[in-house]
Amino acid sequence: MPEFLAAQALLPEGWRRDVLVTCDAAGIITAVTPDVPAGDARRLRGAVIPGVPNLHGHAFQRAMAGGAERRSPAGQDSFWTWRETMYRFALTLSPEDTEAIGAMLYAECLSRGFTQVAEFHYLHHAPDGAPYADRSEMAQRLFAAGEATGIGVTMLPSLYRHGGIFGAPPHDGQRRFLNDLDGFFDILERVKATAARQRNAAWGVAPHSLRAVTPQMLQAMAALDAPIHIHAAEQEREVGECLAATGLRPVEWLLRHCPIDRRWVVIHATHMSATETRELAATGAVAGLCPSTEASLGDGVFPLPDYLAAGGVLGLGTDSHVGTDPAAELRQLETSQRLALELRSVATDEARPHPGRALLERALAGGAQACGVPLGAIAVGMRCDLVELDDEHPTLVGRAGDGLLDAWVFGPADRMVRSVAVGGRMVVESGRHIREGTIRENFARTMRSLGA
């Protein structure tokens, strides 16, 4: 059985030294024993934290990162002008392209400390909108990228039918995304079969948004015993359109018409009223925050203090992948609050005075819930996902415990992760993914062919 001896490790009860972590052949932790002398176990001399779940992303958009920044001729650029660029780019990708892009993204995520990704997957069909022979072809390519890199994948096939609130016709650029319920459930059954075969895979569903599905479609999703992810209240314009169509704000509509509970993950939830914020927190659902993307797209600032005060659960994703580092997402979340509120240490409380740990522990618990996988803690019964931070990195040297986490999140950042294990298997060594060379070559070839 794989065994790891961590010089210091963050356990649910706090930091402990010389921790022996033992896992079984399936990669599940069977024992966690502090104060163990050195033996034959794999030695992790840096600080060890649990692998971080990435609860939201669209893998193909990694190839757009940095390539959609130029001002448009009309100016006044926004999420909505970015979306037009994304639609055009999505029409260019083959299944082979998507697999190469996914592998690059997943290797990058692993090398920075993410060990599970929830793939909010809506790029289903061929460029002309026709289904592939296997309707789940594009999802299977991302499963393959997950297998090749070693990251865990929670595949969330997205149901996308309309182009506006409850029935508006779709945009032509959305043609690769579109399904009816029968087509969607065909994809889902194939995804479930693949997830059952793969070592670290899981599944859920993603009714894309109130713009894209009908109430009847949401009812069909709500009947499933699985994670249910939905975009909501990302932009003020979206809120206005929902108010005009239904008389309710997006999160308000969901709370009134859907059985929102711990299965649900409301992605972004940026523009909520005080009442929505309190009521969403009370459901036990996860607010899926994507700080670097929300900043990139000009979405706005999440009402973090009020949500935390109400006991809300949150997790972090990288969405469009302009960032792929959990520490950077944690930093962006906290510093956006500092800018908006002119305060510091916004995410802390008396029990957790260090923002690095306060934010990390929330992201671990909420991300695991959102991904539907037992991870996010170094504890018996959890998957053995371990991230070793480099104690010799200039930003971390001489630091320990919660102070080290603050330095990891808020200090100058560049390859501060030394090694990563997923399910007890090493996938990152000496700061680099074990297959980085081949993955980067394939990605570069794909980008050149796309003219990116």
Side-chain angles (χ1 to χ4, degrees):
M1 294 187 294
E3 290 188 320
F4 303 88
L5 184 63
Q8 58 172 321
L10 181 60
L11 305 185
E13 63 269 25
W15 290 98
R16 300 295 299 270
R17 298 198 63 81
D18 297 323
V19 177
L20 183 66
V21 181
T22 303
C23 65
D24 61 20
I28 303 300
I29 296 174
T30 57
V32 178
T33 312
D35 304 316
V36 174
D40 295 332
R42 166 68 186 260
R43 185 84 173 166
L44 304 175
R45 67 181 186 272
V48 176
I49 62 174
V52 184
N54 182 339
L55 61 65
H56 184 70
H58 316 287
F60 76 92
Q61 291 179 18
R62 169 61 184 88
M64 285 179 58
E69 301 302 317
R70 182 174 177 173
R71 174 189 168 101
S72 64
Q76 293 295 308
D77 292 287
S78 67
F79 165 84
W80 306 98
T81 56
W82 172 88
R83 191 175 73 154
E84 295 298 316
T85 302
M86 183 269 287
Y87 288 160
R88 291 192 296 272
F89 183 73
L91 294 175
T92 68
L93 299 171
S94 71
E96 294 78 12
D97 296 335
T98 301
E99 184 173 343
I101 295 165
M104 186 73 249
L105 169 68
Y106 298 161
E108 289 175 329
C109 285
L110 284 165
S111 69
R112 291 160 173 82
F114 283 123
T115 58
Q116 184 83 16
V117 291
E119 179 63 38
F120 195 115
H121 174 61
Y122 53 72
L123 189 60
H124 296 299
H125 305 310
D128 63 0
Y132 290 104
D134 176 353
R135 283 180 177 266
S136 69
E137 168 75 13
M138 297 293 267
Q140 300 300 336
R141 294 294 184 145
L142 294 172
F143 272 131
E147 283 277 274
T149 59
I151 204 166
V153 175
T154 299
M155 187 63 66
L156 305 165
S158 178
L159 177 56
Y160 205 125
R161 184 59 183 167
H162 300 291
I165 299 289
F166 303 154
H171 187 295
D172 185 58
Q174 297 167 337
R175 60 183 180 267
R176 297 192 75 171
F177 311 162
L178 303 177
N179 278 301
D180 56 21
L181 274 175
D182 288 342
F184 170 79
F185 278 111
D186 183 21
I187 292 171
L188 180 61
E189 288 306 309
R190 294 166 189 261
V191 161
K192 288 166 64 175
T194 303
R197 292 193 301 270
Q198 291 195 350
R199 179 179 172 90
N200 295 320
W203 65 276
V205 294
H208 179 274
S209 60
L210 295 183
R211 300 192 306 274
V213 298
T214 64
Q216 293 73 26
M217 290 173 172
L218 277 172
Q219 290 174 5
M221 302 294 100
L224 298 171
D225 183 17
I228 305 168
H229 294 224
I230 186 168
H231 295 109
E234 181 178 3
Q235 285 276 321
E236 290 278 19
R237 176 174 140 185
E238 174 196 344
V239 175
E241 289 175 353
C242 192
L243 276 167
T246 71
L248 299 173
R249 301 167 64 87
V251 174
E252 183 183 15
W253 192 96
L254 288 169
L255 290 165
R256 299 292 177 271
H257 293 93
C258 294
I260 305 296
D261 56 24
R262 287 177 51 86
R263 295 171 301 158
W264 289 74
V265 184
V266 182
I267 303 299
H268 304 304
T270 309
H271 299 286
M272 294 191 291
S273 68
T275 299
E276 287 175 296
T277 301
R278 290 192 303 272
E279 291 186 0
L280 180 63
T283 66
V286 180
L289 310 183
C290 305
S292 63
T293 289
E294 288 152 5
S296 174
L297 298 180
D299 287 343
V301 179
F302 180 79
L304 184 66
D306 291 345
Y307 187 71
L308 295 183
V313 181
L314 62 82
L316 295 179
T318 57
D319 196 356
S320 67
H321 315 301
V322 294
T324 57
D325 186 335
E329 297 302 320
L330 296 170
R331 180 172 63 249
Q332 180 69 48
L333 176 58
E334 169 70 26
T335 54
S336 68
Q337 301 293 318
R338 296 181 184 190
L339 284 167
L341 302 172
E342 300 180 43
L343 295 171
R344 285 174 55 79
S345 298
V346 177
T348 61
D349 53 34
E350 289 187 10
R352 289 182 285 193
H354 287 268
R357 180 168 170 186
L359 288 163
L360 175 62
E361 288 185 336
R362 294 181 187 280
L364 291 169
Q369 179 179 323
C371 290
V373 177
L375 46 74
I378 302 173
V380 173
M382 296 292 182
R383 198 171 74 198
C384 187
D385 288 11
L386 306 176
V387 174
E388 180 195 8
L389 301 178
D390 184 358
D391 59 325
E392 297 178 345
H393 189 282
T395 299
L396 304 182
V397 68
R399 302 184 186 275
D402 291 353
L404 181 143
L405 290 181
D406 281 346
W408 175 56
V409 173
F410 296 102
D414 177 37
R415 290 193 180 271
M416 288 197 276
V417 171
R418 177 183 287 141
S419 68
V420 177
V422 179
R425 296 178 177 178
M426 300 304 298
V427 294
V428 174
E429 298 270 19
S430 301
R432 298 185 180 277
H433 191 274
I434 58 176
R435 298 190 62 225
E436 181 177 299
T438 300
I439 289 168
R440 289 186 64 163
E441 287 174 9
N442 292 341
F443 178 74
R445 185 164 51 248
T446 296
M447 294 295 282
R448 284 191 289 269
S449 73
L450 292 170

